[in-house]
Amino acid sequence: MQAATAVPAERKATRPRADALRNRERIVSAAREMFTEFGPDVPLDEIARRAGVGNATVYRNFPDRDALVREVVCSVLDRTVRAGQTALAETGDAFEALERFVHVSADERISALCPMISSTFDEHHPDLEAARERCERIIEEVMDRARAAGQLRPDVGVGDVMIAVAQLSRPPAGTACPSADRFLHRHLQLFLDGLRAPAPSVLPGAAVTMEDLRRL
């Protein structure tokens, strides 16, 4: 009589423990703060110390520096997307939604984090490209609504807003982020007031698109 073939028991995918998830979140949060303050070369041991975890926990979650930088940038982009979605859902005024989105984007330190994607970093990693696409889509949606409502001047593009936010929220050379914070939202609001329709002047050149930025 032929012996029955044993059927291997189906393995259930194990879900990360709650404490493991909290540790990962603490590492990403600490890395975001320290990358903003000191740049991408800050020692990982210092990030572990600020996060309140051991060095081994950092390396268990992120095998190298590039993986951690990518996770930080993606998390910032995703929080910015959620801020845009919340602004559209909670604000009846389309231009007010754009204002809220721009100010939150600046608070997320996008201008300080995005330059970390250097030539040695895989800027075409699928996770990073997906996060960028989500961010671009929400910016376009917020601007399209404000434009359709007749509140946004018609001669500006997504790229114009991205460049202005990055430049205005980047601290001057030799100036730490916290000391420049008191000027940030004041100058952003001056910029936003200049986006309102009707436009008081004609802008030179053409509206800057995301494709223009990618070609740069």
Side-chain angles (χ1 to χ4, degrees):
M1 183 175 180
Q2 187 176 3
T5 304
V7 178
E10 182 180 350
R11 292 187 178 182
K12 293 183 179 180
T14 57
R15 300 178 63 180
R17 299 194 318 270
D19 58 339
L21 290 174
R22 282 194 297 271
N23 283 341
R24 185 179 179 89
E25 291 170 359
R26 288 162 64 182
I27 294 167
V28 173
S29 178
R32 171 181 173 269
E33 293 173 1
M34 299 196 76
F35 287 160
T36 300
E37 293 175 29
F38 306 110
D41 295 327
V42 62
L44 297 186
D45 291 352
E46 293 297 322
I47 293 174
R49 187 173 295 110
R50 180 172 293 195
V53 301
N55 296 355
T57 302
V58 173
Y59 289 105
R60 187 162 55 246
N61 281 275
F62 304 101
D64 54 39
R65 182 179 300 273
D66 281 358
L68 179 55
V69 171
R70 182 171 57 250
E71 181 72 13
V72 169
V73 173
C74 286
S75 70
V76 166
L77 291 174
D78 284 342
R79 279 200 303 274
T80 304
V81 169
R82 288 195 293 273
Q85 293 168 338
T86 300
L88 288 174
E90 295 180 352
T91 308
D93 183 281
F95 198 89
E96 184 181 340
L98 175 59
E99 289 179 320
R100 286 177 57 179
F101 175 77
V102 166
H103 284 292
V104 170
S105 298
D107 282 338
E108 289 292 345
R109 303 296 188 199
I110 285 181
S111 62
L113 293 173
C114 287
M116 294 179 188
I117 306 171
S118 64
S119 58
T120 60
F121 186 87
D122 182 10
E123 61 181 297
H124 300 296
H125 189 281
D127 291 348
L128 187 60
E129 288 194 332
R132 274 196 300 240
E133 288 173 4
R134 289 192 294 271
C135 194
E136 290 173 17
R137 283 198 300 270
I138 195 66
I139 297 171
E140 289 172 350
E141 185 176 356
V142 172
M143 292 181 67
D144 285 346
R145 289 200 188 183
R147 192 177 290 110
Q151 297 172 301
L152 178 66
R153 57 188 298 166
D155 55 349
V156 294
V158 172
D160 291 305
V161 173
M162 294 292 286
I163 290 174
V165 171
Q167 291 181 341
L168 289 172
S169 59
R170 181 176 296 131
T175 304
C177 284
S179 64
D181 277 352
R182 60 196 181 104
F183 306 120
L184 172 58
H185 293 287
R186 174 183 175 86
H187 294 161
L188 283 173
Q189 193 59 48
L190 284 170
F191 162 69
L192 286 162
D193 287 347
L195 293 182
R196 284 189 178 274
S201 62
V202 178
L203 294 176
V208 180
T209 66
M210 290 306 300
E211 188 58 38
D212 293 330
L213 294 186
R214 277 189 282 269
R215 281 198 294 268
L216 290 175

